[in-house]
Coordinates of all heavy atoms in Angstrom, one line a residue:
M712 N 6.7 46.5 11.6 CA 7.3 45.3 10.8 C 7.5 46.0 9.4 O 6.7 46.6 8.8 CB 6.2 44.1 10.8 CG 6.9 42.9 10.3 SD 5.7 41.5 10.3 CE 5.4 41.4 12.1
T713 N 8.7 45.5 9.0 CA 9.1 46.0 7.7 C 8.4 45.1 6.6 O 8.0 44.0 6.9 CB 10.6 46.0 7.5 OG1 10.9 44.5 7.5 CG2 11.3 46.7 8.6
S714 N 8.3 45.6 5.4 CA 7.8 44.9 4.3 C 8.6 43.8 4.0 O 8.0 42.6 3.4 CB 7.6 45.7 3.1 OG 8.8 46.3 2.6
T715 N 9.8 43.8 4.2 CA 10.7 42.6 3.9 C 10.5 41.4 4.8 O 10.4 40.3 4.4 CB 12.2 42.9 3.8 OG1 12.4 44.2 3.3 CG2 13.1 41.9 3.6
R716 N 10.2 41.8 6.1 CA 9.9 40.8 7.1 C 8.5 40.0 6.7 O 8.4 38.8 6.8 CB 9.8 41.3 8.5 CG 11.1 41.4 9.2 CD 10.9 41.9 10.5 NE 11.4 40.9 11.4 CZ 11.4 41.1 12.7 NH1 11.0 42.2 13.2 NH2 11.9 40.1 13.5
V717 N 7.6 40.8 6.4 CA 6.2 40.3 5.9 C 6.4 39.5 4.7 O 5.9 38.3 4.7 CB 5.2 41.4 5.6 CG1 4.0 41.0 5.0 CG2 5.0 42.3 6.9
A718 N 7.2 39.9 3.7 CA 7.5 39.1 2.6 C 8.2 37.8 3.0 O 7.7 36.7 2.5 CB 8.2 39.9 1.6
T719 N 9.0 37.7 3.8 CA 9.9 36.6 4.3 C 8.8 35.6 4.9 O 8.8 34.5 4.7 CB 10.9 36.9 5.2 OG1 11.7 37.8 4.6 CG2 11.7 35.7 5.5
R720 N 8.0 36.2 5.8 CA 6.9 35.3 6.6 C 6.0 34.7 5.5 O 5.6 33.5 5.6 CB 6.2 36.0 7.6 CG 7.0 36.2 8.8 CD 6.0 36.9 9.9 NE 6.9 37.0 11.1 CZ 6.3 37.5 12.1 NH1 5.0 37.9 12.3 NH2 7.1 37.6 13.3
R721 N 5.5 35.6 4.6 CA 4.6 35.0 3.5 C 5.3 33.9 2.7 O 4.6 32.9 2.5 CB 4.2 36.2 2.7 CG 2.9 36.0 2.0 CD 2.4 37.3 1.3 NE 1.9 38.2 2.3 CZ 1.7 39.6 2.1 NH1 2.2 40.0 1.0 NH2 1.2 40.3 2.9
T722 N 6.5 34.1 2.4 CA 7.3 33.1 1.5 C 7.4 31.9 2.4 O 7.2 30.8 1.8 CB 8.7 33.7 1.3 OG1 8.6 34.9 0.6 CG2 9.4 32.7 0.4
F723 N 7.7 32.0 3.7 CA 7.8 30.7 4.5 C 6.5 30.0 4.6 O 6.5 28.8 4.5 CB 8.2 31.2 5.8 CG 8.3 30.0 6.9 CD1 9.2 29.0 6.8 CD2 7.3 29.9 7.8 CE1 9.3 28.0 7.6 CE2 7.3 28.9 8.6 CZ 8.2 27.9 8.6
L724 N 5.3 30.8 4.8 CA 4.2 30.1 4.9 C 3.7 29.4 3.6 O 3.3 28.3 3.6 CB 3.0 31.1 5.2 CG 2.9 31.5 6.6 CD1 1.9 32.8 6.8 CD2 2.4 30.4 7.4
F725 N 4.0 30.1 2.4 CA 3.6 29.4 1.2 C 4.5 28.2 0.9 O 4.0 27.2 0.4 CB 3.7 30.4 0.0 CG 2.5 31.3 -0.1 CD1 2.7 32.7 0.1 CD2 1.4 30.8 -0.3 CE1 1.6 33.6 -0.1 CE2 0.2 31.7 -0.4 CZ 0.3 33.0 -0.2
A726 N 5.7 28.3 1.3 CA 6.6 27.0 1.2 C 6.1 26.0 2.1 O 6.2 24.8 1.6 CB 8.1 27.5 1.5
S727 N 5.8 26.2 3.2 CA 5.2 25.2 4.2 C 4.0 24.6 3.6 O 3.8 23.4 3.6 CB 4.9 25.9 5.5 OG 6.1 26.3 6.1
I728 N 3.0 25.4 3.2 CA 1.8 24.9 2.5 C 2.1 24.0 1.3 O 1.7 22.9 1.1 CB 0.9 25.9 2.1 CG1 0.4 26.6 3.4 CG2 -0.3 25.5 1.2 CD1 -0.3 27.9 3.2
G729 N 3.2 24.5 0.6 CA 3.5 23.6 -0.6 C 4.1 22.3 -0.1 O 3.8 21.3 -0.9
A730 N 4.9 22.4 0.9 CA 5.5 21.0 1.5 C 4.4 20.0 1.9 O 4.6 18.9 1.5 CB 6.6 21.4 2.6
V731 N 3.5 20.6 2.6 CA 2.4 19.7 3.0 C 1.7 19.2 1.9 O 1.3 17.9 1.9 CB 1.5 20.5 4.0 CG1 0.1 19.7 4.3 CG2 2.1 20.9 5.3
A732 N 1.3 19.9 0.8 CA 0.7 19.5 -0.3 C 1.5 18.4 -1.1 O 1.0 17.5 -1.6 CB 0.3 20.7 -1.3
A733 N 2.8 18.7 -1.1 CA 3.7 17.7 -1.8 C 3.7 16.4 -1.0 O 3.7 15.3 -1.7 CB 5.0 18.3 -2.0
G734 N 3.7 16.4 0.3 CA 3.6 15.2 1.1 C 2.4 14.5 0.9 O 2.3 13.3 0.7
A735 N 1.2 15.2 0.7 CA 0.0 14.5 0.5 C -0.1 13.9 -0.9 O -0.6 12.8 -1.1 CB -1.1 15.6 0.6
A736 N 0.6 14.5 -1.8 CA 0.6 14.1 -3.2 C 1.4 12.8 -3.3 O 1.1 11.8 -3.9 CB 1.2 15.1 -4.1
A737 N 2.5 12.7 -2.5 CA 3.5 11.6 -2.5 C 2.6 10.5 -1.8 O 2.8 9.2 -2.3 CB 4.7 11.9 -1.6
S738 N 1.9 10.7 -0.7 CA 1.2 9.7 -0.1 C 0.1 9.0 -1.0 O -0.1 7.9 -1.1 CB 0.4 10.2 1.0 OG 1.2 10.6 2.1
Q739 N -0.5 9.9 -1.9 CA -1.5 9.4 -2.8 C -0.8 8.6 -3.9 O -1.2 7.6 -4.3 CB -2.1 10.6 -3.6 CG -3.1 11.4 -2.7 CD -4.3 10.6 -2.5 OE1 -4.6 9.5 -3.1 NE2 -5.2 11.2 -1.6
A740 N 0.4 9.1 -4.3 CA 1.3 8.3 -5.3 C 1.5 6.9 -4.8 O 1.4 5.9 -5.4 CB 2.5 9.1 -5.8
A741 N 2.0 6.9 -3.5 CA 2.3 5.6 -2.9 C 1.1 4.6 -2.9 O 1.2 3.4 -3.1 CB 2.9 5.8 -1.6
L742 N -0.1 5.3 -2.6 CA -1.2 4.5 -2.4 C -1.6 3.9 -3.8 O -2.0 2.8 -4.0 CB -2.5 5.3 -1.9 CG -3.7 4.6 -1.6 CD1 -3.4 3.5 -0.5 CD2 -4.6 5.5 -1.0
A743 N -1.5 4.8 -4.9 CA -1.8 4.4 -6.2 C -0.8 3.2 -6.6 O -1.2 2.4 -7.3 CB -1.8 5.5 -7.1
A744 N 0.5 3.3 -6.2 CA 1.4 2.4 -6.6 C 1.2 1.0 -6.0 O 1.4 -0.1 -6.6 CB 2.8 2.8 -6.3
T745 N 0.7 1.0 -4.6 CA 0.5 -0.3 -4.1 C -0.9 -0.8 -4.1 O -1.2 -1.9 -4.1 CB 0.8 -0.2 -2.5 OG1 0.1 0.9 -1.9 CG2 2.3 0.1 -2.2
G746 N -1.8 0.0 -4.5 CA -3.2 -0.3 -4.8 C -4.0 -0.5 -3.5 O -3.5 -0.5 -2.4
T747 N -5.3 -0.8 -3.7 CA -6.2 -1.1 -2.7 C -6.9 -2.4 -2.9 O -6.7 -2.9 -4.0 CB -7.2 0.0 -2.4 OG1 -8.2 -0.1 -3.7 CG2 -6.7 1.4 -2.5
C748 N -7.6 -2.8 -1.9 CA -8.3 -4.2 -2.1 C -9.4 -4.1 -3.1 O -9.8 -5.1 -3.7 CB -8.8 -4.7 -0.7 SG -7.5 -5.4 0.3
A749 N -9.9 -2.9 -3.4 CA -10.8 -2.8 -4.6 C -10.2 -2.9 -5.9 O -10.8 -3.2 -6.9 CB -11.4 -1.4 -4.5
D750 N -8.9 -3.0 -5.9 CA -8.1 -3.1 -7.2 C -7.5 -4.4 -7.5 O -6.7 -4.6 -8.4 CB -6.9 -2.0 -7.2 CG -7.5 -0.6 -7.1 OD1 -8.4 -0.3 -7.5 OD2 -6.6 0.1 -6.4
L751 N -7.8 -5.5 -6.6 CA -6.9 -6.7 -6.6 C -7.0 -7.3 -8.0 O -6.0 -7.9 -8.5 CB -7.4 -7.6 -5.6 CG -7.1 -7.1 -4.1 CD1 -7.4 -8.1 -3.1 CD2 -5.6 -6.7 -4.1
D752 N -8.1 -7.5 -8.7 CA -8.4 -8.1 -9.9 C -7.4 -7.3 -10.9 O -6.6 -8.0 -11.7 CB -9.8 -8.1 -10.5 CG -10.5 -9.1 -9.7 OD1 -10.0 -10.1 -9.3 OD2 -11.8 -8.8 -9.6
K753 N -7.4 -6.0 -11.0 CA -6.6 -5.3 -11.9 C -5.1 -5.5 -11.5 O -4.3 -5.7 -12.4 CB -7.1 -3.9 -11.8 CG -6.4 -3.0 -12.8 CD -7.2 -1.6 -12.9 CE -7.3 -1.0 -11.5 NZ -7.8 0.3 -11.4
L754 N -4.8 -5.4 -10.3 CA -3.3 -5.4 -9.9 C -2.7 -6.9 -10.1 O -1.5 -6.9 -10.3 CB -3.2 -5.2 -8.3 CG -3.5 -3.7 -7.9 CD1 -3.6 -3.5 -6.5 CD2 -2.4 -2.8 -8.6
A755 N -3.6 -7.9 -10.1 CA -3.0 -9.2 -10.2 C -2.2 -9.4 -11.5 O -1.3 -10.3 -11.5 CB -4.2 -10.2 -10.2
A756 N -2.5 -8.5 -12.5 CA -1.8 -8.7 -13.8 C -0.6 -7.9 -14.0 O -0.1 -7.6 -15.1 CB -2.8 -8.4 -14.9
T757 N -0.2 -7.2 -12.9 CA 0.9 -6.2 -12.9 C 2.1 -6.6 -12.1 O 2.0 -7.2 -11.1 CB 0.4 -4.8 -12.5 OG1 0.0 -4.9 -11.2 CG2 -0.9 -4.3 -13.5
G758 N 3.2 -6.1 -12.6 CA 4.5 -6.1 -11.8 C 4.8 -7.4 -10.9 O 4.6 -8.5 -11.5
L759 N 5.2 -7.2 -9.8 CA 5.7 -8.2 -8.9 C 4.4 -9.3 -8.7 O 4.6 -10.5 -8.6 CB 6.1 -7.7 -7.5 CG 6.6 -8.7 -6.6 CD1 7.8 -9.7 -7.2 CD2 7.2 -8.1 -5.4
R760 N 3.2 -8.8 -8.6 CA 2.0 -9.6 -8.3 C 1.9 -10.7 -9.5 O 1.7 -11.8 -9.2 CB 0.9 -8.9 -8.2 CG 0.7 -8.1 -7.0 CD -0.6 -7.2 -7.0 NE -0.5 -6.2 -5.9 CZ -1.1 -6.2 -4.9 NH1 -2.0 -7.2 -4.6 NH2 -1.1 -5.2 -4.0
R761 N 2.2 -10.2 -10.6 CA 2.1 -11.1 -11.8 C 3.3 -12.1 -11.8 O 3.1 -13.3 -12.0 CB 2.2 -10.3 -13.1 CG 2.2 -11.0 -14.4 CD 2.3 -10.2 -15.5 NE 2.1 -10.9 -16.9 CZ 2.0 -10.4 -17.9 NH1 2.0 -9.0 -18.0 NH2 2.0 -11.0 -19.0
S762 N 4.5 -11.7 -11.4 CA 5.6 -12.6 -11.3 C 5.4 -13.7 -10.1 O 5.7 -14.7 -10.3 CB 6.9 -11.9 -10.9 OG 7.2 -10.8 -11.8
L763 N 4.5 -13.2 -9.1 CA 4.4 -14.2 -8.0 C 3.1 -14.9 -8.2 O 2.7 -15.8 -7.3 CB 4.3 -13.4 -6.7 CG 5.6 -12.7 -6.2 CD1 5.4 -11.9 -4.9 CD2 6.7 -13.8 -6.1
N764 N 2.5 -14.8 -9.4 CA 1.3 -15.5 -9.7 C 0.2 -15.2 -8.6 O -0.5 -16.2 -8.1 CB 1.5 -17.0 -9.7 CG 0.3 -17.7 -10.4 OD1 -0.5 -17.1 -11.1 ND2 0.2 -19.0 -10.1
F765 N 0.1 -13.9 -8.3 CA -0.9 -13.5 -7.4 C -2.4 -13.7 -7.8 O -2.7 -13.4 -8.9 CB -0.7 -11.9 -6.9 CG -1.8 -11.4 -6.1 CD1 -1.6 -11.6 -4.6 CD2 -2.9 -10.7 -6.6 CE1 -2.6 -11.1 -3.8 CE2 -3.9 -10.1 -5.7 CZ -3.7 -10.4 -4.4
R766 N -3.2 -14.4 -7.0 CA -4.5 -14.6 -7.3 C -5.4 -13.9 -6.2 O -5.3 -14.2 -5.1 CB -4.8 -16.1 -7.4 CG -4.4 -16.7 -8.7 CD -3.9 -18.1 -8.5 NE -2.6 -18.1 -7.7 CZ -2.1 -19.1 -7.2 NH1 -2.7 -20.2 -7.4 NH2 -1.0 -19.1 -6.4
P767 N -6.4 -13.0 -6.6 CA -7.2 -12.3 -5.6 C -8.0 -13.3 -4.8 O -8.3 -13.0 -3.7 CB -8.1 -11.5 -6.5 CG -7.3 -11.2 -7.7 CD -6.5 -12.6 -7.9
V768 N -8.3 -14.5 -5.4 CA -9.2 -15.5 -4.6 C -8.4 -16.8 -4.8 O -8.1 -17.3 -5.7 CB -10.6 -15.7 -5.2 CG1 -11.3 -16.8 -4.4 CG2 -11.4 -14.4 -5.1
A769 N -7.9 -17.3 -3.5 CA -7.1 -18.4 -3.4 C -7.9 -19.7 -3.7 O -9.0 -19.9 -3.4 CB -6.5 -18.6 -2.1
P770 N -7.3 -20.7 -4.6 CA -8.1 -21.8 -5.0 C -8.2 -22.8 -3.7 O -9.1 -23.6 -3.6 CB -7.2 -22.5 -6.2 CG -5.9 -21.9 -6.0 CD -6.0 -20.4 -5.4
D771 N -7.2 -22.8 -2.8 CA -7.2 -23.6 -1.6 C -7.4 -22.8 -0.4 O -6.6 -21.9 0.0 CB -5.8 -24.3 -1.5 CG -5.7 -25.2 -0.4 OD1 -6.6 -25.3 0.5 OD2 -4.6 -25.9 -0.3
P772 N -8.5 -23.0 0.3 CA -9.0 -22.1 1.4 C -8.0 -22.4 2.6 O -8.0 -21.7 3.6 CB -10.3 -22.6 1.9 CG -10.6 -23.9 1.1 CD -9.5 -24.0 -0.1
N773 N -7.2 -23.4 2.6 CA -6.2 -23.6 3.7 C -4.9 -23.0 3.3 O -4.0 -23.1 4.2 CB -6.0 -25.2 3.8 CG -7.3 -25.9 4.2 OD1 -7.9 -25.4 5.3 ND2 -7.6 -26.9 3.6
R774 N -4.8 -22.4 2.2 CA -3.5 -21.8 1.9 C -3.9 -20.4 1.3 O -3.9 -20.2 0.0 CB -2.8 -22.5 0.8 CG -1.4 -22.4 0.5 CD -0.9 -23.5 -0.5 NE 0.3 -23.2 -0.9 CZ 1.5 -23.7 -0.7 NH1 1.6 -24.8 0.2 NH2 2.6 -23.3 -1.2
T775 N -4.0 -19.5 2.2 CA -4.4 -18.1 1.7 C -3.5 -17.0 2.4 O -2.7 -17.3 3.4 CB -5.9 -17.7 2.3 OG1 -5.8 -17.6 3.6 CG2 -6.8 -18.7 1.7
C776 N -3.6 -15.8 2.0 CA -2.7 -14.8 2.6 C -2.8 -14.7 4.1 O -2.0 -14.5 4.8 CB -3.1 -13.4 1.9 SG -2.5 -13.2 0.2
K777 N -4.1 -14.9 4.6 CA -4.4 -14.8 5.9 C -3.5 -15.8 6.8 O -3.0 -15.4 7.8 CB -5.8 -15.1 6.3 CG -6.2 -14.9 7.8 CD -7.7 -15.2 7.9 CE -8.0 -14.9 9.4 NZ -9.5 -15.0 9.6
G778 N -3.1 -16.8 6.2 CA -2.2 -17.8 6.8 C -0.8 -17.7 6.5 O 0.1 -18.6 6.8
C779 N -0.4 -16.7 5.8 CA 0.9 -16.6 5.4 C 1.7 -15.6 6.3 O 1.3 -14.6 6.8 CB 0.9 -15.9 3.9 SG 2.5 -15.4 3.2
T780 N 3.0 -16.0 6.3 CA 3.9 -15.3 7.2 C 4.1 -13.8 6.8 O 4.5 -12.9 7.6 CB 5.2 -16.0 7.4 OG1 5.9 -15.4 8.5 CG2 6.1 -16.0 6.2
F781 N 3.8 -13.5 5.6 CA 4.1 -12.1 5.0 C 2.9 -11.2 5.2 O 2.8 -10.1 4.8 CB 4.6 -12.2 3.5 CG 5.9 -12.9 3.4 CD1 5.9 -14.2 2.7 CD2 7.0 -12.5 3.9 CE1 7.1 -14.9 2.6 CE2 8.2 -13.1 3.8 CZ 8.3 -14.3 3.1
F782 N 1.9 -11.8 5.5 CA 0.5 -11.1 5.7 C 0.5 -10.2 6.9 O 0.9 -10.6 8.0 CB -0.7 -12.0 5.7 CG -2.0 -11.4 5.9 CD1 -2.7 -10.7 4.7 CD2 -2.7 -11.5 7.0 CE1 -3.8 -10.1 4.7 CE2 -4.0 -10.8 7.0 CZ -4.5 -10.1 6.0
R783 N -0.1 -9.1 6.8 CA -0.3 -8.1 7.9 C -1.7 -7.7 7.9 O -2.2 -7.1 6.9 CB 0.5 -6.8 7.8 CG 2.1 -7.0 7.8 CD 2.5 -7.7 9.1 NE 4.0 -8.0 9.1 CZ 4.5 -9.2 8.9 NH1 3.7 -10.2 8.6 NH2 5.8 -9.4 9.0
A784 N -2.5 -8.0 8.9 CA -3.8 -7.7 9.0 C -4.1 -6.2 9.0 O -3.4 -5.4 9.5 CB -4.4 -8.2 10.3
G785 N -5.2 -6.0 8.3 CA -5.6 -4.5 8.3 C -7.1 -4.5 8.8 O -7.4 -4.7 10.0
T786 N -8.0 -4.4 7.8 CA -9.4 -4.6 8.3 C -9.9 -5.9 8.1 O -8.9 -6.8 7.6 CB -10.3 -3.7 7.4 OG1 -10.3 -4.2 5.9 CG2 -9.9 -2.2 7.2
E787 N -11.1 -6.2 8.2 CA -11.5 -7.6 8.1 C -11.3 -8.2 6.8 O -11.2 -9.4 6.4 CB -13.0 -7.7 8.6 CG -13.5 -9.1 8.7 CD -15.0 -9.2 9.1 OE1 -15.3 -8.4 10.1 OE2 -15.7 -10.0 8.6
T788 N -11.6 -7.4 5.7 CA -11.6 -7.8 4.3 C -10.2 -7.3 3.6 O -10.1 -7.7 2.5 CB -12.8 -7.2 3.7 OG1 -12.8 -5.7 3.7 CG2 -13.9 -7.7 4.2
C789 N -9.4 -6.5 4.2 CA -8.2 -6.1 3.4 C -7.1 -5.9 4.3 O -7.1 -5.2 5.5 CB -8.5 -4.8 2.8 SG -7.2 -4.1 1.7
G790 N -5.9 -6.6 4.0 CA -4.6 -6.4 4.6 C -3.6 -6.0 3.7 O -3.8 -5.4 2.7
S791 N -2.3 -6.3 4.2 CA -1.2 -6.0 3.3 C -0.1 -7.1 3.3 O -0.2 -7.9 4.2 CB -0.6 -4.6 3.7 OG 0.0 -4.6 5.0
C792 N 0.8 -6.9 2.4 CA 1.7 -8.0 2.1 C 3.1 -7.4 2.2 O 3.4 -6.4 1.4 CB 1.6 -8.7 0.8 SG 2.9 -9.7 0.5
V793 N 3.9 -7.9 3.1 CA 5.4 -7.4 3.2 C 6.1 -7.7 1.8 O 6.8 -6.8 1.5 CB 6.0 -8.2 4.4 CG1 7.6 -7.8 4.4 CG2 5.4 -7.9 5.7
L794 N 5.9 -8.8 1.2 CA 6.7 -9.0 0.0 C 6.2 -8.1 -1.1 O 7.0 -7.8 -2.0 CB 6.4 -10.5 -0.6 CG 7.2 -11.5 0.0 CD1 6.9 -12.8 -0.7 CD2 8.7 -11.1 0.2
L795 N 5.0 -7.6 -1.0 CA 4.5 -6.7 -2.1 C 4.7 -5.1 -1.6 O 3.9 -4.3 -1.9 CB 3.0 -6.9 -2.3 CG 2.7 -8.3 -3.0 CD1 1.2 -8.5 -3.1 CD2 3.5 -8.3 -4.3
S796 N 5.7 -5.0 -0.7 CA 5.9 -3.6 -0.2 C 4.8 -2.9 0.5 O 4.6 -1.7 0.3 CB 6.5 -2.7 -1.3 OG 7.7 -3.3 -1.9
G797 N 4.0 -3.8 1.2 CA 2.8 -3.4 1.9 C 1.7 -3.0 1.0 O 0.7 -2.4 1.4
G798 N 1.6 -3.6 -0.2 CA 0.5 -3.6 -1.2 C -0.6 -4.4 -0.5 O -0.6 -5.3 0.3
A799 N -1.8 -3.9 -0.9 CA -3.1 -4.5 -0.4 C -3.3 -5.9 -0.9 O -3.0 -6.2 -2.0 CB -4.2 -3.6 -0.8
V800 N -3.7 -6.7 0.1 CA -4.1 -8.1 -0.3 C -5.3 -8.5 0.5 O -5.4 -7.9 1.7 CB -3.0 -9.1 0.0 CG1 -1.8 -8.9 -1.0 CG2 -2.6 -9.1 1.5
S801 N -6.1 -9.3 0.1 CA -7.3 -9.7 0.8 C -6.8 -11.0 1.6 O -5.9 -11.8 1.2 CB -8.4 -10.2 -0.1 OG -9.3 -11.1 0.4
P802 N -7.4 -11.2 2.7 CA -7.1 -12.4 3.5 C -7.3 -13.7 2.8 O -6.6 -14.7 3.0 CB -8.0 -12.3 4.8 CG -8.4 -10.8 4.9 CD -8.3 -10.3 3.5
G803 N -8.1 -13.7 1.7 CA -8.5 -14.8 1.0 C -7.7 -14.9 -0.3 O -7.9 -15.8 -1.1
S804 N -6.8 -14.0 -0.5 CA -5.8 -14.1 -1.7 C -4.7 -15.0 -1.6 O -4.5 -15.6 -0.3 CB -5.3 -12.7 -2.0 OG -6.3 -11.8 -2.2
V805 N -4.0 -15.2 -2.4 CA -2.6 -16.0 -2.4 C -1.7 -15.7 -3.5 O -2.1 -15.1 -4.6 CB -3.1 -17.5 -2.4 CG1 -3.4 -18.0 -3.8 CG2 -1.9 -18.4 -1.9
C806 N -0.4 -16.0 -3.3 CA 0.5 -16.0 -4.4 C 1.5 -17.2 -4.2 O 1.4 -18.0 -3.3 CB 1.3 -14.7 -4.4 SG 2.7 -14.6 -3.3
D807 N 2.4 -17.5 -5.2 CA 3.3 -18.6 -5.2 C 4.4 -18.5 -4.1 O 5.0 -19.5 -3.9 CB 3.9 -18.8 -6.5 CG 2.9 -19.3 -7.6 OD1 1.9 -19.7 -7.2 OD2 3.3 -19.3 -8.8
S808 N 4.5 -17.3 -3.4 CA 5.4 -17.2 -2.4 C 4.8 -17.4 -1.1 O 5.4 -17.2 0.1 CB 6.2 -15.8 -2.4 OG 6.9 -15.8 -3.6
W809 N 3.6 -18.1 -0.9 CA 3.0 -18.3 0.3 C 3.9 -19.2 1.2 O 4.5 -20.1 0.7 CB 1.7 -19.1 0.1 CG 0.9 -19.4 1.3 CD1 0.0 -18.6 1.9 CD2 0.9 -20.5 2.1 NE1 -0.6 -19.1 2.9 CE2 0.0 -20.4 3.2 CE3 1.7 -21.7 2.2 CZ2 -0.2 -21.2 4.2 CZ3 1.5 -22.6 3.1 CH2 0.6 -22.4 4.1
A810 N 4.1 -18.7 2.4 CA 4.8 -19.4 3.5 C 4.0 -19.4 4.7 O 3.6 -18.4 5.2 CB 6.1 -18.8 3.7
A811 N 3.7 -20.6 5.2 CA 2.8 -20.8 6.5 C 3.3 -19.9 7.6 O 4.7 -19.9 7.9 CB 2.8 -22.2 6.8
K812 N 2.5 -19.3 8.3 CA 2.8 -18.6 9.6 C 3.3 -19.6 10.7 O 2.8 -20.7 10.8 CB 1.6 -17.9 10.1 CG 1.4 -16.4 9.8 CD 0.3 -16.0 10.5 CE -0.2 -14.6 9.7 NZ -1.4 -14.1 10.0
A813 N 4.2 -19.2 11.3 CA 4.8 -20.0 12.4 C 3.8 -20.2 13.5 O 3.0 -19.1 13.8 CB 6.1 -19.5 12.9
G814 N 3.7 -21.2 14.2 CA 2.9 -21.3 15.3 C 1.5 -21.6 14.9 O 0.4 -21.5 15.5
Ligands
SF4_909 S1 3.6 -13.5 0.0 FE1 1.8 -14.4 1.3 S2 0.7 -12.5 2.1 FE2 2.0 -11.9 0.2 S3 0.6 -12.2 -1.6 FE3 1.8 -14.0 -1.3 S4 0.5 -15.4 -0.1 FE4 -0.3 -13.3 0.1

């Protein structure tokens, strides 16, 4: 095997490792942008959540994210919201765009 071929393979391997690392960093950035259920109090005061008057704890137990058409279940204590681009919401949270689930 020539040294040029070895160098080409090495370059390819390093480029592949770099691409995987960049993908992982992008995933971390996306997670940081959408937040987690541990961040709900902090996130409520930011961006779209603020515009939608997002509240981590709904004042009306009959009108919560869990009963909203935009809610997507995750774990027992944390799901996501379609309107918030998949951002974390608690089943017991709410915002002004609440819309009752059909059925
Ligand atoms: S749109 Fe629905 S699921 Fe999303 S934050 Fe508002 S009440 Fe919760």
Side-chain angles (χ1 to χ4, degrees):
M712 189 176 302
T713 66
S714 62
T715 307
R716 278 184 117 176
V717 171
T719 303
R720 281 188 181 182
R721 208 173 275 159
T722 304
F723 173 77
L724 281 175
F725 282 121
S727 300
I728 291 168
V731 169
S738 298
Q739 290 286 356
L742 189 61
T745 56
T747 70
C748 282
D750 302 326
L751 295 183
D752 285 332
K753 190 170 47 177
L754 291 169
T757 63
L759 184 57
R760 288 176 196 256
R761 184 178 181 173
S762 303
L763 297 178
N764 193 24
F765 176 80
R766 284 147 289 165
V768 179
D771 180 351
N773 296 314
R774 202 174 161 108
T775 64
C776 289
K777 186 176 182 179
C779 175
T780 194
F781 300 113
F782 180 73
R783 298 295 176 266
T786 66
E787 189 176 318
T788 57
C789 189
S791 62
C792 171
V793 174
L794 281 189
L795 296 175
S796 302
V800 294
S801 157
S804 299
V805 74
C806 83
D807 287 351
S808 289
W809 183 88
K812 259 184 200 165

